[in-house]
Amino acid sequence: MFKYYTILLLISPLISAADNPDFSYDNIKEWGVKNPICNNGKSQSPIKLSILTSETNVPDIGDVPPIVFRNYNIQLKNLEMLNNGRTVQIKIPNSEEPPYIEGALLTNKYKAISLHFHWGSVTTRGSEHLIDDLRYDAELHIVHQNMAYDPKEALEKPDGLAVLGFVIKKDIIVPESTGLRKIFADVDRVRYYSSNVTLSSSLALQEIFDTINTSKFFTYQGSLTTPPCSESVSWFVFSKPLMLPLLDFLKLWNIYDENGYAIKNNYRPIQNREGRSVYYRF
Ligand SMILES: [Zn+2]
């Protein structure tokens, strides 16, 4: 009997780890158990953004230079979209000519590696960043990695990653960007956990934001908004929202996790700014 219980005690952590391979939005405080920086970091994201509390003059630089988008016009073919149980993610494969960004306050080139969404529910809004105290309905992140580093290094260096954040507003019928239209044509197909499909259309990353002016944005140093919460992200959050029709939000609200529950409110609460500078380019 003793042996039986000993074995059970030994394997029980493995069982619970298998049940919960990543993290949950139901117990955000527990993210810090494995990744203490999630709870005690000083450069965490998301934060509140406001033109009133931002600086427009960068020491030794002056105005924030624009972001330069390179290869964002290249049509990426056969992109894979995945339901990972937390969000809908599109991977951007390595290539000879990767889409990348430079400029602004970046000191290197950052290639796009993936994009994903955060959303609320039928009754709640789910953007991560707040702009002038407003939580938008959803938020899209395009994640970029410093081309000077390998993926593991990028998570460990303060200048390892750069993320473009687009807040998204819902309306009944709205002028949707070409890119969002292409993506949402296939979102239904990843409704169930671990579904992995190839996008029906090719996609150029610039098509995602062809409806807004990207010259106006907030930028600050922050973190991943999911574990391991690495403080390695140069954030760029655009002040003008992308628009998404209600029908596409219905698709997001019907994406299911590994337990068969609709994924909702997959956003992290606002973190302390901790005296960080936030710059605004207008
Ligand atoms: Zn994100």
Side-chain angles (χ1 to χ4, degrees), residues 46 66 81 100 131 141 144 150 171 210 214 220 242 264:
M81 181 157 61
Y100 67 90
I131 300 180
H141 291 157
H144 299 71
D150 65 35
D171 211 328
D210 60 10
T214 49
Y220 74 97
L242 296 176
K264 58 181 182 181

Side-chain angles (χ1 to χ4, degrees), residues 127-139:
S127 76
E128 295 213 295
H129 288 92
L130 301 194
I131 300 180
D132 292 331
D133 284 325
L134 178 62
R135 189 180 296 284
Y136 282 87
D137 297 298
E139 190 165 326

